[in-house]
Amino acid sequence: MDAFADDARVLAGGSEGAAALRSLTGVVFDALEAGAARRGGPLPSGGPAAVAERVRAVLGESRDGRAAGVLPEEGTGAVEALSSLVGLAAEGAADPADPLCAAHLHCPPLAVAAAADLSASVLNPSMDSWDQAPAASELEASVCRALAGLLYGGRGGVDGGPDALVTTGGTESNQLGVLLAREASGPGVRVVCGANAHHSVPRAAWLLGLPEPVRVPAPRGVLEPAGLRGALESLGARAPGAPVLVVATAGTTDTGAIDPLDGLADVVREFDVRSRSGGGGGVRLHVDAAYGGMLLFSGGLRARLSGLERADSVTLDLHKLGWQPVAAGLFAVPDGRALRPLDHRADYLNADDDTAAGLPDLLGRSLRTTRRPDVLKVAVTLRALGRAGVGALVDRTCGVASRLAALVEADPRLELFGPPALSTVLFRPVGADAEAVAAVRRRLLGEGRAVLGRAAVSREGGGAAEGAGCGGLWLKATLLNPHAGEGDLRALLGLVLDALPSSAVRDAAGPVPAASARPLSASRSGTPPPPRVPAAPVPPSAPSAAAGPANVITPVTASSSARSPRS
């Protein structure tokens, strides 16, 4: 490493940047690899206190934080800073590429997408004016129209056809849906959503000064047409003629459930006609498909989204079931003219005479001003894989979830909440109450063995387990690694059973080994697997070249066939 490459003042772009980056990216890759090796699993062990202590140690800070490790008087140089801090971040990361890291809608990014994201950082276009992002802005427009067209049909267009905006994710997209409904219908618009709706929906209403949304009970985990009908009838009686925005969900965060979109769209259109014929403000439909929207790419699973194309607006995230680095959200509409309320003027960015002279106006393409070209990684991924390649990854990932559900159902020591709608599987040890379920999750987190989520949901009417006092708390496996194998899934279930204290089990169909009987340190390689069941079909990766080398998740973790224990 020469002094030039270690000079932290060298710019990433221009004539000198590439040479420096070639050397520095090697340092980064070495630090990522070393940090992952020190971590040795999906999560650092020891919990928050141990991680904080390690960060302080690397920064050279004392416990009271008085040392100057974060901002030294004299810098340490590019190589040392990258080695120490990237290595620290990798060692202390929750690695979504590890099949045992399955708590959240936190995907492992494809290597090709991460590489494209690096180029976006190097070029650093800002997407608020054409003269800062000439090619990137045109690429964004093309990708947005193409994805909106995939959703709504047709080729799209600048005016009068499907279009979309790039967002930071579901929260921003849902806020846009509520905002455009308010702009189209007036400040009196009422939001109606299911009890299963994402928390960003009521938050958007609050941010925009709207009344608290009407929350429709969803006892089966989805917003039902009958329930929506009753809510609209009741709201119409209380506030005749008030405009309404109905928000449906295609892929809840707790279970992955998809609302019956076609049936809901029927109800929305019926009440829209009724409202407008009586001089009211009408009824609109927004669908939060941040999780489930990527089923659009799957020939076999797309039908689960039937009715999505009837929505007035749709939220879609590619950093969930699309394997993009954060952030990669989309807000789509069937007619690009619906986005015009977002138009905004700032003379230094989109002066009227510049726009009249033909310079594209980008300021109305987002609520943000400065924003990075997140579309570049999406465009590269779509070109590398094609629709069929992305669809194959979606199919395979949902197949992994089906396989885990089959393993849970076949094991008498475990209880399955229900068949997965997408790639989320809820389960728990038989007889484990809410306190025991939470303890299992926290123990696995604390020892860095597995990362599982939690979901407090009950079956419709309460099943036998709920009636016996188990409560509605479940372990949640959100599976987003399409390459997870059966060995990974069996290891995950073995870890859960090992972590369950025997005193927490009231009744089980088979013996549940106590945690002390089989130390967790051996679980990843030596735990006897649950009973073997016939393999559920898992769709293979698409054999075409487009779905080949690009189907690489980064970083690479231990293989599914032989997972080494933490040292």
Side-chain angles (χ1 to χ4, degrees), residues 476-517:
K476 178 175 69 170
T478 307
L479 300 156
L480 295 175
N481 187 334
H483 307 308
E486 183 164 324
D488 300 309
L489 304 180
R490 291 181 179 275
L492 180 63
L493 299 182
L495 286 167
V496 168
L497 291 170
D498 283 351
L500 180 68
S502 58
S503 60
V505 181
R506 296 189 314 275
D507 180 59
V512 179
S516 58

Side-chain angles (χ1 to χ4, degrees), residues 158-520:
V158 176
D159 259 350
D163 201 0
L165 304 177
V166 173
T167 70
T168 55
T171 295
E172 183 183 349
S173 294
N174 287 339
Q175 183 179 347
L176 280 169
V178 177
L179 172 62
L180 288 181
R182 187 192 70 178
E183 294 305 295
S185 304
V189 67
R190 297 299 306 272
V191 177
V192 177
C193 61
N196 61 330
H198 192 259
H199 65 82
S200 62
V201 175
R203 192 178 192 191
W206 168 70
L207 283 169
L208 294 168
L210 300 178
E212 178 73 15
V214 176
R215 304 293 291 267
V216 183
R220 297 204 307 159
V222 295
L223 175 59
E224 298 280 7
L228 176 61
R229 179 182 296 278
L232 294 178
E233 293 278 13
S234 176
L235 185 58
R238 299 197 312 271
V244 175
L245 173 67
V246 173
V247 180
T249 306
T252 62
T253 53
D254 276 345
T255 67
I258 299 173
D259 290 345
L261 302 178
D262 250 335
L264 295 175
D266 287 341
V267 174
V268 167
R269 293 301 170 250
E270 174 191 335
F271 277 81
D272 182 54
V273 170
R274 184 190 304 182
S275 172
R276 294 185 188 280
S277 64
V283 183
R284 297 165 57 94
L285 175 63
H286 171 74
V287 177
D288 176 4
Y291 181 11
M294 291 301 291
L295 267 58
L296 288 168
F297 286 84
S298 168
L301 302 177
R302 183 184 175 114
R304 297 183 186 181
L305 298 177
S306 177
L308 183 64
E309 72 285 353
R310 300 172 63 186
D312 295 290
S313 57
V314 172
T315 289
L316 178 66
D317 275 5
L318 286 90
H319 58 234
K320 292 182 170 66
L321 202 55
W323 302 282
Q324 297 298 295
V326 173
L330 209 71
F331 174 77
V333 293
D335 186 333
R337 290 172 292 190
L339 302 173
R340 286 180 178 173
L342 300 176
D343 286 348
H344 182 65
R345 290 288 161 186
D347 192 63
Y348 74 103
L349 294 173
N350 61 346
D352 288 338
D353 57 321
D354 279 347
T355 302
L359 291 181
D361 179 0
L362 306 184
L363 203 53
R365 302 288 299 175
S366 177
L367 293 175
R368 296 167 285 152
T369 304
T370 301
R371 59 186 179 96
R372 71 193 308 271
D374 288 317
V375 74
L376 180 56
K377 62 200 173 195
V378 175
V380 168
T381 300
L382 296 178
R383 186 179 178 92
L385 288 173
R387 190 209 57 77
V390 175
L393 288 178
V394 172
D395 289 343
R396 187 172 182 86
T397 302
C398 292
V400 170
S402 295
R403 183 62 188 143
L404 178 62
L407 289 171
V408 170
E409 200 163 31
D411 193 323
R413 300 169 294 177
L414 296 169
E415 177 185 5
L416 180 68
F417 177 80
L422 292 170
S423 67
T424 298
V425 178
L426 300 190
F427 70 100
R428 63 189 177 194
V430 169
D433 60 15
E435 182 178 353
V437 170
V440 166
R441 175 178 177 271
R442 285 194 290 269
R443 180 179 178 187
L444 293 175
L445 284 176
E447 299 201 13
R449 301 297 170 185
V451 190
L452 287 169
R454 54 187 285 167
V457 294
S458 296
R459 295 190 182 98
E460 184 181 15
E466 283 85 348
C470 277
L473 190 63
W474 301 80
L475 294 171
K476 178 175 69 170
T478 307
L479 300 156
L480 295 175
N481 187 334
H483 307 308
E486 183 164 324
D488 300 309
L489 304 180
R490 291 181 179 275
L492 180 63
L493 299 182
L495 286 167
V496 168
L497 291 170
D498 283 351
L500 180 68
S502 58
S503 60
V505 181
R506 296 189 314 275
D507 180 59
V512 179
S516 58
R518 277 202 308 252
L520 280 174

